[in-house]
Amino acid sequence: MPLTQEEMSLLINGPLFRDVGEELLRSLTELEGASLVRFDPGVVYSPQHFRRSLAVVLSGQLQVTKGTLAVSVLGPGDLFGAAALYSDEPEFATTITARRPSRCLMLEQRLVDRLLAEQGKIRENYLRYLTGRIRFLSGRLQTLAQPGVEGKLVRYLLANGDSSCPATQLCQRLGVSRASLYRAFSALEDSGLITRKGKTITIVDPAGLETVL
């Protein structure tokens, strides 16, 4: 089954194929090394079971975990598999589980090599994506290294500024319990450093927030 128009639009506006011509995308699934794969709920990627491919999520939802820590949730437009594409080892202790039926565009390493060599825009997009991932992971490591829930929350807020993030998702990002997160929020609010309205978090005193670290 070829890409739908909705999937085409998703790819054009996504991190890898942004501003790439529709002609290439329409022929993409006909190229050797490209395939459309449907995943039923369950584990789709693990250190024991993985494909050396770059994947673009077209529909559904996938959960990424490292060890026992939930790292992120992937949805339409997100990529996975980049870290293992050119590595002799799969991503360390990374497991990806389909939380609902999902459809992905899988690009084998040899095809990715070809696209990067022949398509300057894809090469530029991919380098930009990897740079963003490095920044995200560096911030993530700093957050995890910061002792205490309050410190982790402060580092997240300083890195992301005013934001709107569901509590469940924030707990997963910081690797903390909901109760601990709420206590940290209350402490920062009581100190007049932040305010919360629903899911929206506003930093009132950035300089004061930095003194918490």
Side-chain angles (χ1 to χ4, degrees):
M1 180 180 178
L3 292 165
T4 66
Q5 191 58 46
E6 182 179 355
E7 291 170 341
M8 288 275 294
S9 177
L10 185 71
L11 291 175
I12 289 174
N13 291 288
L16 187 59
F17 296 104
R18 189 181 304 276
D19 298 326
V20 173
E22 283 197 20
E23 183 178 350
L24 171 63
L25 293 182
R26 291 189 187 282
S27 62
L28 190 60
T29 55
E30 299 175 4
L31 299 177
E32 185 177 358
S35 59
L36 292 169
V37 180
R38 183 183 183 280
F39 294 112
D40 292 324
V43 175
V44 302
Y45 182 105
S46 71
Q48 294 76 37
H49 175 73
F50 72 101
R51 297 172 61 175
R52 202 173 296 282
S53 299
L54 184 63
V56 185
V57 182
L58 299 176
S59 64
Q61 189 180 77
L62 300 101
Q63 173 75 58
V64 182
T65 58
K66 285 184 179 293
T68 59
L69 177 64
V71 177
S72 61
V73 176
L74 304 178
D78 290 329
L79 307 181
F80 69 86
L85 200 61
Y86 299 104
S87 174
D88 292 332
E89 300 289 340
E91 293 179 80
F92 178 72
T94 296
T95 299
I96 299 178
T97 305
R99 300 173 64 173
R100 62 186 65 164
S102 304
R103 178 167 145 110
C104 298
L105 171 64
M106 309 294 292
L107 306 173
E108 294 180 7
Q109 179 184 334
R110 55 182 174 170
L111 177 56
V112 174
D113 288 342
R114 174 183 165 187
L115 293 173
L116 294 177
E118 297 178 356
Q119 302 292 330
K121 190 61 183 177
I122 294 178
R123 182 167 60 249
E124 177 185 329
N125 288 341
Y126 191 53
L127 289 174
R128 184 180 293 113
Y129 166 77
L130 292 178
T131 300
R133 289 297 299 166
I134 291 171
R135 289 175 178 167
F136 168 79
L137 292 173
S138 295
R140 178 83 170 132
L141 288 173
Q142 288 181 335
T143 297
L144 293 174
Q146 179 64 32
V149 177
E150 193 172 320
K152 291 182 179 181
L153 177 58
V154 167
R155 241 180 227 289
Y156 171 84
L157 293 175
L158 289 174
N160 293 276
D162 296 346
S163 63
S164 178
C165 183
T168 300
Q169 185 176 340
L170 191 52
C171 286
Q172 293 176 344
R173 289 183 179 182
L174 301 181
V176 302
S177 69
R178 185 183 288 265
S180 297
L181 179 65
Y182 285 156
R183 284 195 293 270
F185 268 131
S186 295
L188 296 179
E189 285 186 288
D190 292 343
S191 300
L193 301 176
I194 66 169
T195 60
R196 283 188 300 160
K197 187 175 182 180
K199 298 177 182 178
T200 301
I201 307 164
T202 302
I203 298 176
V204 177
D205 184 0
L209 203 60
E210 290 183 356
T211 65
V212 176
L213 299 177

